[in-house]
């Protein structure tokens, strides 16, 4: 809903291509507790569903080995029950996870 179509209806061998102005990384949307990351310009937007009765912390790591997780501050819970945080795409964060705990 937030991306702009740059080129549409490009015919390919196995379907049709629509080019958009951002990168969308698979995450299954925000269903079943999964997070979704979109990149547009110099901004990453990470979203995931709010789970009632749990404290959720978005953590990020800069490299795969060894993973050193750091909590990301500044998240916002929207009125429709989605947690959201915007980060710089130039930052060290390359891997994300949600750590949930019960109060």
């Amino acid at each position: 809903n937030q991306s702009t179509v740059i080129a549409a209806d490009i015919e390919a061998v196995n379907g049709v291509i629509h080019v958009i102005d951002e990168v969308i990384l698979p995450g299954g949307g925000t269903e079943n507790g999964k997070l979704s990351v979109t990149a547009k310009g110099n901004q990453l937007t990470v979203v995931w569903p709010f789970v009632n009765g749990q404290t959720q912390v978005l953590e990020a790591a800069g490299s795969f080995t060894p993973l050193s997780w750091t909590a990301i501050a500044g998240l916002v819970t929207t009125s429709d029950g989605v947690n959201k945080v915007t980060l710089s795409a130039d930052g060290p964060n390359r891997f994300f996870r949600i750590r949930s705990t019960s109060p």
Side-chain angles (χ1 to χ4, degrees):
N1 291 337
Q2 63 192 18
S3 62
T4 302
V5 177
I6 296 172
D9 301 325
I10 302 168
E11 290 189 32
V13 175
N14 62 347
V16 177
I17 299 170
H18 303 293
V19 179
I20 61 174
D21 67 344
E22 64 183 302
V23 177
I24 301 173
L25 303 176
T30 58
E31 299 169 4
N32 300 321
K34 295 180 181 177
L35 60 84
S36 179
V37 180
T38 59
K40 186 171 187 176
N42 193 30
Q43 297 286 315
L44 294 176
T45 302
V46 183
V47 296
W48 69 98
F50 174 79
V51 178
N52 211 2
Q54 290 187 350
T55 301
Q56 297 177 311
V57 177
L58 176 67
E59 297 180 327
S63 62
F64 192 68
T65 307
L67 286 176
S68 177
W69 297 102
T70 303
I72 301 293
L75 73 93
V76 174
T77 302
T78 64
S79 61
D80 58 352
V82 175
N83 290 313
K84 177 179 177 180
V85 66
T86 301
L87 307 166
S88 170
D90 292 335
N93 305 315
R94 299 292 178 251
F95 302 94
F96 298 98
R97 74 176 182 184
I98 301 167
R99 183 172 47 83
S100 297
T101 59
S102 298

